Amino acid sequence: MTLTDPRRTAPTSSPASTAPAARSSELRAWVDQVAALTRPDRIVWCDGSAAERHALTKQLLDEGKLIRLNGEYRPGSYLARSAPDDVARVESRTFICSRDRDDAGPTNNWAEPTAMKAELIEHFAGSMRGRTMYVVPFSMGPVGGRMSKLGVQLTDSGYVVLNMHIMTRVGTPALELIDAGEPWVKALHSVGAPLVDDAGVRHDDVDWPCNPEKYIAHFPETREIWSFGSGYGGNALLGKKSFALRIASVIARDEGWLAEHMLLIRLTNPAGRRFHLAAAFPSACGKTNLAMLRSTLPGWSVETLGDDIAWLRQGTDGRLWAINPEAGFFGVAPGTAATTNPTAMDTIWGNTIFTNAALTDDGDVWWEGMTSEAPAHLVDWTGADWVPGIGRPAAHPNARFTVAAAQCPSIADDWEAHDGVPLDAIVFGGRRASNVPLVLEARDWAHGVFLGATIASEQTAAAEGAVGELRRDPFAMLPFCGYNMADYWAHWLEVGERLGASAPAMFQVNWFRKGADGRFLWPGFGDNVRVLKWIAERLEGAAAAQASPLGLVPAEGALDLDGLDVSADDLRTLFAIDSGSWLAEAELTEEYFASFGDRVPLELQTQLAALRTRLGSR
Ligand code: GTP
Ligand code: SPV
Ligand code: MN
């Protein structure tokens, strides 16, 4: 489809552009077409340099879109405050526009691609008037790596460019690979707030331009992303969820690999043996915390490789290898503290963009949970005065920090290795107040796929919706799978077949089980290393396990609780399996599977039947 502005009558002069000399003709043509449609004043081709970052930062400060934090406390760091209606991913406005509706499946919003593009063209027409359009070439994964992929984002948001600089590898090296003919993904983004109206009148800008009408549209067959109306997080930093998960999951299906919402870590035991783990947890359920775990067990340590996304591919040795395609962390701020995630606190010492945090009187940031006592006065995330007891949070619950992964003290030396790391275990987690034990091991790959497919979690602040409700979030991919979820399960089963005996083992964890009194039963955070230790010892064949209807759980005494203050009662509850409530949950799983019709792999139905048998036979 050609991109033409339906409202445009006469051609206008081309915008000023900083286009470098020799550029891929396809890229150049696309940039020209989008510029003709969106009509920016200027086009800036980004080179990813520090000078570019510096100039852009200065501009955003001048425009009031960033607030410089006190360099004594937070050098090189800035605060951005979003519009109150643009604070999180908008799943209700996220679309998978495959040709066939069934390829998007019942868990995605579907729209017919030609109709969606026609609708979007109406919105993009003139949407960048008065603004600069940035051409942002980037690589997901180290530039030139075998598992890496290229993209170009066109955006009219300087804030987005600065965040892309941190979250992806932006710059000329990526552009050179595109010039050389490597495939790349087209990612078009506009905040949808032109500075010049239809009558040609120029308006003042606002601190956080966006549009009440939002679209985050994906075209899996043509590997395109069109995002309109939002400047926040996954809606706008298109390398992240849109590319590295939604589009990449489709590329991965076609090419035989996996694009996953997983953290990636290396665990080292006292003997120096290393284990690599990837873990899928739904949004705001503890991936960043686990990725940066500071061990409370002597001799055991965790190195960080990634905190949100992992790409998994079978290597020439037959094993499953993983990379983190991102270059930074876009982490949840509230709840991050020296007590819960000291490594994250050390990572964000400076050179960090904070979005929707509160501002202290001495020019630093604050959020709920950072300190046990709130400062006596703050400016909250909306820019209003705030004092303790005022009855609303000072930071938005989905306030985030954007920081380079390289700045993390626990980042592994080889975190950018082109081939990644060989996986020993895959872990599934969720936020479950009941039913799911602290840890269990899958009986085999197919059982692990069943565990992944049946993850549920209580709703968090990372997306819109009522906090606390239980929602199914298979593989933590519910909002991120770019194709039919049932086909995705079948793909996981197929990958397992190919891996055979080289496949990583699979586990399920739950840090969030609560007692009758509503208290978390497990201390969590640094003490989660005790669970990782059991997993590592299982991998070595050293730790004892016992069968349960749900899978293998630690045998009496196998979980290292040395020096930990967890009562015997709480421990029993952490592992309690109530057949009645599990049979009820199996009922819900059956209904959930039924919503996918006959596309659910037979193997998963077999797993569900086997679970019921095991529960009944207790
Ligand atoms: P996205 O970036 O949204 O994909 O999420 P994430 O999984 O990286 O989220 P993050 O690690 O920031 O999760 C934050 C939430 O998990 C906070 O509410 C933490 O307090 C909570 N959390 C993390 N680890 C633990 C734990 O071990 N125990 C308990 N009780 N809460 C935890
Ligand atoms: C998530 O919601 O899982 C995130 C944050 O990691 S965002 O990038 O905004 O999607
Ligand atoms: Mn995430």
Side-chain angles (χ1 to χ4, degrees):
M1 161 175 303
T2 52
L3 305 176
T4 43
D5 178 345
R7 291 197 295 268
R8 215 167 131 195
T9 45
T12 46
S13 59
S14 316
S17 168
T18 62
R23 289 290 81 115
S24 134
S25 55
E26 191 192 349
L27 173 55
R28 208 180 249 287
W30 180 57
V31 170
D32 287 348
Q33 275 182 18
V34 170
L37 174 67
T38 60
R39 297 160 67 187
D41 277 0
R42 281 168 306 278
I43 300 174
V44 169
W45 289 66
C46 295
D47 61 11
S49 65
E52 174 175 287
R53 189 153 58 245
H54 176 74
L56 199 51
T57 303
K58 189 168 175 308
Q59 184 194 321
L60 294 177
L61 284 166
D62 290 345
E63 292 174 355
K65 290 179 177 141
L66 288 180
I67 296 165
R68 188 196 302 282
L69 297 175
N70 187 333
E72 242 180 84
Y73 305 112
R74 214 58 76 167
S77 301
Y78 306 92
L79 172 65
R81 293 188 189 124
S82 81
D85 61 345
D86 195 22
V87 293
R89 281 184 296 101
V90 193
E91 290 174 13
S92 58
R93 300 299 301 163
T94 300
F95 300 89
I96 300 297
C97 310
S98 47
R99 258 171 273 160
D100 182 350
R101 181 181 204 129
D102 286 341
D103 286 338
T107 58
N108 284 311
N109 301 312
W110 175 81
E112 196 282 318
T114 313
M116 176 54 96
K117 281 193 180 170
E119 189 174 336
L120 279 167
I121 281 172
E122 288 283 332
H123 290 282
F124 275 99
S127 75
M128 297 188 186
R129 275 179 299 175
R131 297 194 183 277
T132 300
M133 180 170 89
Y134 299 93
V135 182
V136 188
F138 62 95
S139 176
M140 297 310 291
V143 180
R146 260 191 303 283
M147 294 170 78
S148 302
K149 299 274 174 203
L150 299 160
V152 179
Q153 179 161 349
L154 303 183
T155 179
D156 55 6
S157 163
Y159 164 88
V160 164
V161 177
L162 278 186
N163 278 270
M164 287 292 288
H165 260 242
I166 298 173
M167 295 305 297
T168 74
R169 281 93 170 168
V170 170
T172 310
L175 194 54
E176 280 164 0
L177 290 177
I178 290 170
D179 278 342
E182 291 288 325
W184 54 283
V185 168
K186 294 185 174 107
L188 169 56
H189 172 247
S190 173
V191 293
L195 291 174
V196 177
D197 67 20
D198 283 344
V201 178
R202 189 169 282 268
H203 297 270
D204 286 343
D205 204 357
V206 293
D207 293 349
W208 185 278
C210 61
N211 190 298
E213 206 166 346
K214 302 182 190 351
Y215 292 82
I216 301 94
H218 305 77
F219 302 88
E221 282 107 1
T222 51
R223 321 285 200 226
E224 286 172 280
I225 305 153
W226 293 36
S227 168
F228 179 88
S230 168
Y232 205 91
N235 297 336
L237 313 179
L238 299 184
K240 200 173 177 57
K241 307 298 186 178
S242 286
F243 181 167
L245 291 177
R246 298 193 190 100
I247 296 292
S249 62
V250 174
I251 300 176
R253 175 199 62 192
D254 296 350
E255 296 180 355
W257 51 282
L258 300 161
E260 300 301 326
H261 192 202
M262 291 178 172
L263 67 91
L264 192 59
I265 54 175
R266 171 181 295 141
L267 173 70
T268 304
N269 74 9
R273 178 154 173 204
R274 304 158 123 203
F275 305 87
H276 295 108
L277 284 75
F281 294 19
S283 301
C285 287
K287 284 186 300 300
T288 305
N289 290 75
L290 187 58
M292 299 180 183
L293 182 142
R294 201 166 289 185
S295 167
T296 58
L297 287 179
W300 290 82
S301 64
V302 167
E303 287 165 87
T304 310
L305 290 151
D307 85 324
D308 197 47
I309 299 177
W311 286 354
L312 282 44
R313 191 193 280 260
Q314 190 172 25
T316 46
D317 62 354
R319 299 186 66 189
L320 191 61
W321 290 67
I323 65 162
N324 166 18
E326 300 193 275
F329 307 127
F330 183 63
V332 180
T336 307
T339 47
T340 57
N341 193 343
T343 303
M345 292 306 282
D346 291 348
T347 305
I348 58 177
W349 62 269
N351 308 321
T352 303
I353 300 172
F354 297 91
T355 307
N356 287 346
L359 182 66
T360 68
D361 289 347
D362 48 11
D364 200 0
V365 282
W366 190 86
W367 47 73
E368 277 62 30
M370 183 199 268
T371 53
S372 53
E373 221 175 290
H377 175 262
L378 293 165
V379 176
D380 74 12
W381 69 276
T382 68
D385 281 315
W386 186 96
V387 289
I390 197 167
R392 53 187 159 84
H396 188 276
N398 193 38
R400 299 248 170 186
F401 53 78
T402 318
V403 67
Q407 203 166 289
C408 175
S410 62
I411 198 79
D413 287 345
D414 57 345
W415 75 282
E416 300 194 273
H418 283 199
D419 291 333
V421 295
L423 283 185
D424 298 289
I426 291 173
V427 181
F428 300 111
R431 188 183 281 265
R432 291 297 305 269
S434 64
N435 271 16
V436 178
L438 177 64
V439 60
L440 60 86
E441 181 180 350
R443 304 152 71 93
D444 53 28
W445 182 274
H447 181 227
V449 172
F450 176 76
L451 293 177
T454 52
I455 292 181
S457 210
E458 290 152 39
Q459 177 77 42
T460 66
E464 85 272 37
V467 172
E469 252 168 54
L470 196 72
R471 77 167 196 172
R472 295 267 163 183
D473 193 349
F475 285 79
M477 283 288 278
L478 179 72
F480 307 125
C481 185
Y483 61 104
N484 189 304
M485 184 61 80
D487 295 355
Y488 165 91
W489 297 334
H491 181 57
W492 262 87
L493 290 167
E494 268 169 46
V495 169
E497 301 255 303
R498 273 205 301 280
L499 291 166
S502 311
M506 285 159 138
F507 297 83
Q508 180 170 38
V509 300
N510 177 27
W511 317 138
F512 299 92
R513 196 146 179 184
K514 288 182 175 172
D517 53 1
R519 159 184 69 82
F520 287 120
L521 295 168
W522 178 248
F525 304 102
D527 282 315
N528 292 334
V529 72
R530 297 168 188 276
V531 171
L532 299 185
K533 177 182 175 187
W534 182 74
I535 290 175
E537 289 175 349
R538 286 296 301 160
L539 294 169
E540 286 190 299
Q546 64 192 39
S548 86
L550 305 180
L552 299 160
V553 294
E556 187 79 34
L559 191 65
D560 187 344
L561 300 172
D562 210 29
L564 200 65
D565 196 17
V566 175
S567 74
D569 254 5
D570 283 358
L571 197 63
R572 248 191 314 279
T573 317
L574 271 168
F575 284 98
I577 299 170
D578 180 76
S579 298
S581 50
W582 266 103
L583 284 168
E585 188 157 332
E587 201 72 43
L588 296 176
T589 300
E590 181 179 332
E591 283 168 27
Y592 188 61
F593 282 175
S595 69
F596 297 91
D598 59 6
R599 276 170 108 123
V600 177
L602 189 62
E603 178 59 44
L604 292 190
Q605 304 287 12
T606 307
Q607 289 290 334
L608 177 58
L611 170 66
R612 282 171 151 157
T613 307
R614 293 195 301 268
L615 286 164
S617 64
R618 281 197 98 203

